[in-house]
Amino acid sequence: MEKKQKAKAAAYSGTQPGQNPVKNILKEVRRRKLLFLMLLPAIVFFIIFCYVPMGGIMLAFKDYNYGQGIFGSPWVGWANFEYLYKSGTLWRVTRNTILYNIAFIILDLVTQVGIAILLNEIGSKICKKLSQTLMFLPYFVSAVLLGAFVYNIFNYERGTLNNILMSLGMERYDTYSNMYAWIFILLFFHIWKGLGYGVVVYLATITGISSEFYEAARVDGATRFQQIRYITLPLLKPTMIILTLFGVGKIMKGQFELFYQIIGANGTLYPVTDIIDTYVFRMTTTSFDPGLATAAGLYQSFFGFVLIVTVNYVVKKLNPDYALF
């Protein structure tokens, strides 16, 4: 049985038992020079911008001094990580990052799948195209513009919200002093900005479902709701799982541009809006402590990697067809 599996693996990889895989790879490169040449820019890009900067990880274990440089700065071991842990910063930013991303994943899944199914049920092509276009437009709005948009709504003195409240004879509401309100504000604008893109992905999957399934269901007397429940949703399941896995893979990585442009440097809101990415940026540009910033970034990358490997392993055990690798 084991020999049979090895033979299958060898056949799949294009190698025969007893052959040198390195020679086969070189042979493949010689055969398909043009294709590998087209891959060269991408390979060089990842080497320069992803692998070479990994040497900076050593800053997480050093007390960085601008005069002495990276290599001259003294080693401090785990001191940076210890400070992050004892100060409570690590717990706060990790909690915020994970909870926001879990909420993003769940809300994205529910809203995008729901809207995609509703759009698919619309008979008018003009109405469907117009709805898709209007929902897709916020995806192209830059985070900087979104931040200005949010500020003009919730500004205490001249914001749209308070102008409406004043015109109704009500008191002004200081949104920027109520940190818990920003949980819902951030969730709303995340959904508003990404809804169109997600709907297009799911709608493309729904469009690819054969009409024969629905015709057979209608012949059997299935209602619209039953068709959605027993045909559309089960056939959307692979796409839903893959996109959820992608979301889980980024669960330790917050949406820096969304949080930074909307919240900015408002320290009052940090307890519920500060995520790992904004903390790393602040430590680098405001506190000028690259050691702490690198330690937080390394912690984020390591646990993000562990998380996606673990989740993929669980999915592979439950259903290998839905696993990423």
Side-chain angles (χ1 to χ4, degrees):
M1 186 68 181
E2 188 177 348
K3 288 182 179 179
K4 189 177 179 181
Q5 290 177 346
K6 286 182 179 179
K8 282 185 178 179
Y12 181 76
S13 62
T15 63
Q16 297 298 325
Q19 288 185 346
N20 190 338
V22 176
K23 288 183 179 179
N24 287 326
I25 292 172
L26 294 175
K27 184 179 178 181
E28 190 69 18
V29 171
R30 284 195 295 269
R31 282 179 57 199
R32 307 178 187 274
K33 290 179 183 177
L34 187 59
L35 292 177
F36 282 99
L37 190 63
M38 292 171 66
L39 280 175
L40 190 60
I43 294 170
V44 172
F45 173 84
F46 280 104
I47 290 173
I48 294 175
F49 293 102
C50 295
Y51 291 99
V52 172
M54 287 177 70
I57 288 174
M58 68 174 68
L59 282 175
F61 307 96
K62 287 195 168 193
D63 181 14
Y64 183 72
N65 183 290
Y66 285 91
Q68 295 174 314
I70 296 177
F71 299 103
S73 298
W75 291 91
V76 293
W78 299 95
N80 288 322
F81 296 94
E82 187 178 353
Y83 173 80
L84 288 172
Y85 175 74
K86 289 184 176 179
S87 65
T89 303
L90 201 62
W91 161 247
R92 187 189 74 223
V93 296
T94 302
R95 178 200 64 201
N96 291 342
T97 305
I98 292 176
L99 290 179
Y100 273 113
N101 278 301
I102 289 173
F104 289 161
I105 291 170
I106 295 172
L107 292 173
D108 282 346
L109 183 64
V110 173
T111 55
Q112 291 170 10
V113 171
I115 298 295
I117 291 173
L118 289 175
L119 280 178
N120 186 61
E121 296 299 318
I122 295 176
S124 173
K125 288 186 178 179
I126 296 175
C127 183
K128 185 184 292 187
K129 294 293 182 184
L130 181 63
S131 301
Q132 281 183 257
T133 304
L134 291 175
M135 282 190 292
F136 213 134
L137 284 177
Y139 181 76
F140 298 102
V141 175
S142 71
V144 177
L145 189 60
L146 179 61
F149 180 61
V150 173
Y151 178 78
N152 280 283
I153 292 175
F154 297 107
N155 180 267
Y156 184 77
E157 295 293 334
R158 298 176 297 277
T160 305
L161 175 64
N162 282 323
N163 284 337
I164 293 172
L165 292 176
M166 292 292 290
S167 66
L168 296 173
M170 301 170 67
E171 294 285 334
R172 293 179 187 269
Y173 182 72
D174 189 1
T175 312
Y176 283 92
S177 65
N178 183 3
M179 60 183 179
Y180 293 105
W182 289 92
I183 298 174
F184 302 99
I185 293 171
L186 287 166
L187 291 175
F188 172 79
F189 281 103
H190 166 81
I191 295 170
W192 176 77
K193 197 171 187 306
L195 181 64
Y197 180 83
V199 167
V200 167
V201 174
Y202 285 113
L203 197 57
T205 306
I206 294 172
T207 306
I209 298 173
S210 175
S211 59
E212 294 178 359
F213 293 113
Y214 296 102
E215 290 171 4
R218 282 194 292 270
V219 170
D220 291 337
T223 62
R224 282 284 186 181
F225 178 76
Q226 288 172 328
Q227 291 174 39
I228 293 170
R229 181 180 177 184
Y230 295 107
I231 298 175
T232 308
L233 287 176
L235 292 177
L236 274 179
K237 187 178 176 182
T239 306
M240 292 162 63
I241 291 175
I242 290 171
L243 292 181
T244 301
L245 277 176
F246 286 152
V248 171
K250 297 185 292 185
I251 204 167
M252 289 294 290
K253 181 178 174 58
Q255 295 189 23
F256 169 76
E257 64 282 355
L258 177 72
F259 284 81
Y260 181 74
Q261 295 298 338
I262 290 180
I263 303 302
N266 191 336
T268 307
L269 307 179
Y270 285 164
V272 295
T273 62
D274 198 18
I275 57 174
I276 298 176
D277 297 78
T278 53
Y279 177 77
V280 170
F281 179 78
R282 198 165 61 253
M283 286 297 101
T284 307
T285 59
T286 306
S287 301
F288 301 104
D289 195 336
L292 280 178
T294 308
L298 181 58
Y299 161 81
Q300 178 188 33
S301 300
F302 175 76
F303 280 99
F305 171 76
V306 171
L307 188 62
I308 191 171
V309 170
T310 305
V311 172
N312 186 78
Y313 175 79
V314 173
V315 172
K316 195 171 184 179
K317 285 292 183 182
L318 296 174
N319 195 329
D321 294 334
Y322 297 149
L324 292 176
F325 51 85

